[in-house]
Amino acid sequence: MTPLHLFCTLRCGARGLIHRGVLCTGIKFTAWDCRNARCYTTSAGQAPVKTMEEILKRTVAPLPPYETRDKSPPPPESSSVEFMHFYRSLDKEQKLEFLDRLSRDFGVDHKSVSELAAKAVETQLRDLPTVLQVEDRLRYILTPRYRQLFGHISRVEGGVKFLVDLRADMIEIISSKASESPHLRDLNGTLKGLLSEWFSVGLLHLERVTWQSPCELLQKISQYEAVHPVRNWTDIKRRVGPYRRCYAFTHAAMPGEPLIVLHVALTEDISNNIQTILREFATVDTEEDVNKINSAIFYSLSSTQAGLQAVDLGTYLVKKVVLKLQGEFPHISQFSSLSPIPGFCAWLQGLLSSQRKEGRGAGLLTEQEWREVEEATGSAGGAADSLRKLLASGDWARSERLARALEPALMRLCAWYLYGEKRRGYALNPVANFHLHNGATMWRLNWLADSSPRGVSASCGIMVNYRYFLQETNANRAAYLQNKSIAASDQVLGLVSQHQKNSKL
């Protein structure tokens, strides 16, 4: 089997080998730097910069006076390019130090804000034009200096992509707790706000990916796939072929770079098993029979840019794709996801461990279910420990007897995990939260719907359909966001009720 990157190279030919410094074989060209010598290259004709303080003072322009804010010329483009080159030359620890200095020393002038805030309070009893002018001045002085820098960088070629990657670095720093600086969090919030504006839905382009799409785009779609990894070129060919649709949002400032990717299967009924979707194959020249297309199944949604975390692209992509499919297949009435349940096994292991001292899992399984586990594992009196080990190894999924014994309990527990486990009142599971936020209904849990090692280790092989009843999505979304109410089917609610009864919650 020809690997995807080699096939892509052959298909591209010599004309497509080099594009924006990237080979279709996946080899990237990198600019030479003298990091080990601790010197940094700058714009042509300028002396090397040796300190972070110097580069920041040279590239982060002061906030212009309020009176001349619209007349002050922007800094030269070379200043933004210099900042970008310098940052890229740093190693991980240096980037942390650099961002800390940028956020701390080039943010808001707190003294000026305090003085102007006091003045704003004093002028509240004066005429309205005076009040509005003081408030406008206060709003202006609250602008961090680095916000203007980000704006200038965004106008440079490759600048938006640089800022997306910069925010990815900040997210990693904050999530790893390498720094808990409030200045850095403010810097992250400022950049997130700018990216949300730049990547608003009106500025995004919906692109359908097909086998005729550029090979680099196909390769990126394959590399970015986070839900069901692409194995080879036949695999990606299947996912963009007949009875399948692949859509991506792109942005003019990041050409050739998919931002978020949605894979759709066009089926007769709502799918209950991911292997049937991933393994079914129709040749590229197969003609679709519209009479066999009654359902659209969203089976993979992958965000490709870590720096766009919390910038809501997925919701808009799903809505756009629904409209696109309705235009192509007006008779389609069923829209549903077939979603993984990341975190379920980890949650269940934690639950079993926390109740270890309470005997047999404190009602997580019925007495009859525990006996069946004991008989199947030969572990009389130690079924709880055996169950923990089985779940950790995934061996139970290869035993029909064990799978049959565990199915009722795991389905109940999974339903409770999705429906009952909350974070700030909303679904703990991130995939559930996403679809419920979009107005979907938690419709059906599917036993052993993903029998791959990854599916078994993450969610005990269980998958869930979130059904999009288009006439109800707005009401469901409002109920979830405002009242934290989850729309769910009788199957899901029945499983939740059984779990509550067994565990006496």
Side-chain angles (χ1 to χ4, degrees):
M1 186 69 70
T2 307
L4 175 60
H5 67 273
L6 292 180
F7 178 83
C8 184
T9 303
L10 292 171
R11 186 186 144 193
C12 286
R15 62 181 175 81
L17 287 179
I18 302 177
H19 176 67
R20 295 177 64 84
V22 181
L23 284 175
C24 279
T25 55
I27 302 173
K28 296 184 178 179
F29 291 112
T30 55
W32 177 86
D33 64 67
C34 52
R35 204 173 356 183
N36 293 332
R38 289 296 183 266
C39 66
Y40 307 95
T41 59
T42 63
S43 302
Q46 294 181 335
V49 175
K50 294 183 179 180
T51 67
M52 294 182 182
E53 292 86 347
E54 186 176 351
I55 191 70
L56 287 170
K57 287 178 181 177
R58 280 168 50 163
T59 59
V60 187
L63 197 66
Y66 178 81
E67 291 75 14
T68 62
R69 63 193 183 284
D70 297 326
K71 300 177 182 178
S72 300
E77 185 175 295
S78 60
S79 180
S80 296
V81 174
E82 183 178 0
F83 181 93
M84 293 163 62
H85 280 293
F86 182 86
Y87 181 80
R88 285 171 174 150
S89 72
L90 304 176
D91 60 29
K92 191 172 182 179
E93 291 183 2
Q94 291 171 329
K95 286 180 178 179
L96 170 57
E97 181 184 356
F98 186 73
L99 291 172
D100 185 62
R101 289 173 183 268
L102 175 65
S103 64
R104 186 183 66 244
D105 300 336
F106 296 87
V108 172
D109 183 345
H110 299 293
K111 182 180 179 182
S112 297
V113 169
S114 299
E115 293 172 353
L116 201 52
K119 187 175 181 180
V121 173
E122 293 173 4
T123 57
Q124 287 303 303
L125 298 179
R126 297 185 60 180
D127 57 286
L128 184 59
T130 301
V131 172
L132 293 177
Q133 186 185 57
V134 173
E135 289 177 349
D136 191 52
R137 283 176 174 268
L138 180 57
R139 197 159 35 241
Y140 179 71
I141 202 68
L142 281 167
T143 304
R145 285 176 62 181
Y146 50 69
R147 190 183 192 281
Q148 291 207 132
L149 169 70
F150 295 155
H152 297 315
I153 291 175
S154 71
R155 300 181 184 97
V156 176
E157 183 177 358
V160 172
K161 172 61 174 169
F162 169 82
L163 292 173
V164 170
D165 293 340
L166 180 72
R167 183 164 183 260
D169 290 343
M170 283 192 283
I171 291 172
E172 183 181 355
I173 289 169
I174 293 170
S175 62
S176 67
K177 297 186 178 180
S179 172
E180 297 186 1
S181 165
H183 295 292
L184 198 61
R185 289 184 178 274
D186 196 50
L187 176 70
N188 177 56
T190 298
L191 187 50
K192 181 209 164 194
L194 287 172
L195 292 173
S196 297
E197 293 177 13
W198 298 336
F199 289 89
S200 64
V201 66
L203 300 175
L204 300 174
H205 173 65
L206 179 65
E207 182 173 346
R208 180 183 168 189
V209 182
T210 70
W211 190 239
Q212 284 68 46
S213 297
C215 68
E216 286 184 353
L217 180 59
L218 287 168
Q219 187 177 7
K220 286 179 179 179
I221 295 292
S222 304
Q223 291 171 339
Y224 287 137
E225 173 58 32
V227 185
H228 305 292
V230 175
R231 294 168 294 176
N232 48 48
W233 66 268
T234 302
D235 205 359
I236 190 63
K237 191 174 185 179
R238 179 187 299 121
R239 298 190 194 193
V240 299
Y243 297 104
R244 300 291 180 268
R245 295 293 184 271
C246 177
Y247 295 96
F249 266 152
T250 58
H251 193 283
M254 294 172 59
E257 192 73 42
L259 306 176
I260 187 166
V261 182
L262 177 65
H263 288 273
V264 185
L266 304 176
T267 61
E268 291 191 68
D269 299 304
I270 296 178
S271 304
N272 62 3
N273 186 285
I274 192 61
Q275 268 72 43
T276 60
I277 290 178
L278 297 179
R279 291 175 184 169
E280 284 180 356
F281 183 72
T283 59
V284 174
D285 57 355
T286 298
E287 290 202 16
E288 295 173 339
D289 183 352
V290 295
N291 295 318
K292 294 182 178 180
I293 298 175
N294 302 311
S295 306
I297 311 301
F298 311 128
Y299 67 92
S300 175
L301 182 67
S302 298
S303 179
T304 68
Q305 308 294 319
L308 293 179
Q309 179 180 308
V311 177
D312 195 0
L313 301 179
T315 296
Y316 295 115
L317 180 58
V318 169
K319 289 180 179 179
K320 288 275 190 180
V321 168
V322 167
L323 292 174
K324 192 80 171 175
L325 292 173
Q326 283 181 315
E328 188 176 0
F329 304 102
H331 64 286
I332 284 186
S333 59
Q334 299 185 131
F335 294 91
S336 174
S337 77
L338 181 58
S339 299
I341 311 172
F344 170 56
C345 273
W347 170 83
L348 182 54
Q349 287 282 12
L351 189 63
L352 288 168
S353 296
S354 67
Q355 297 188 356
R356 188 170 187 174
K357 296 180 180 179
E358 299 179 29
R360 290 180 163 184
L364 297 182
L365 274 67
T366 65
E367 289 297 323
Q368 176 62 30
E369 288 166 349
W370 279 119
R371 279 196 295 272
E372 290 181 9
V373 171
E374 289 174 351
E375 291 174 4
T377 59
S379 56
D385 284 332
S386 296
L387 180 58
R388 278 190 291 271
K389 293 176 182 177
L390 282 171
L391 292 175
S393 67
D395 292 341
W396 63 271
R398 292 188 287 273
S399 166
E400 185 176 343
R401 183 181 181 185
L402 270 173
R404 187 171 57 250
L406 291 174
E407 178 181 354
L410 292 181
M411 288 285 278
R412 291 195 309 267
L413 288 161
C414 188
W416 175 255
Y417 168 69
L418 292 174
Y419 184 89
E421 288 296 316
K422 304 292 178 62
R423 181 175 182 268
R424 299 175 184 171
Y426 298 104
L428 174 67
N429 182 265
V431 178
N433 186 58
F434 170 80
H435 287 289
L436 295 171
H437 182 277
N438 289 346
T441 297
M442 193 178 290
W443 189 64
R444 184 177 69 192
L445 266 67
N446 304 291
W447 176 245
L448 289 184
D450 184 0
S451 56
S452 69
R454 182 173 179 168
V456 171
S457 65
S459 59
C460 297
I462 305 173
M463 298 188 78
V464 56
N465 298 116
Y466 295 100
R467 183 87 178 267
Y468 283 82
F469 298 97
L470 301 183
Q471 310 228 332
E472 301 174 9
T473 53
N474 287 336
N476 289 348
R477 173 182 166 87
Y480 183 65
L481 294 180
Q482 296 169 14
N483 305 320
K484 302 178 175 64
S485 175
I486 295 177
S489 68
D490 290 341
Q491 185 229 26
V492 173
L493 294 176
L495 290 168
V496 169
S497 178
Q498 291 174 30
H499 173 74
Q500 290 175 316
K501 180 179 178 181
N502 287 340
S503 58
K504 297 186 174 81
L505 290 176

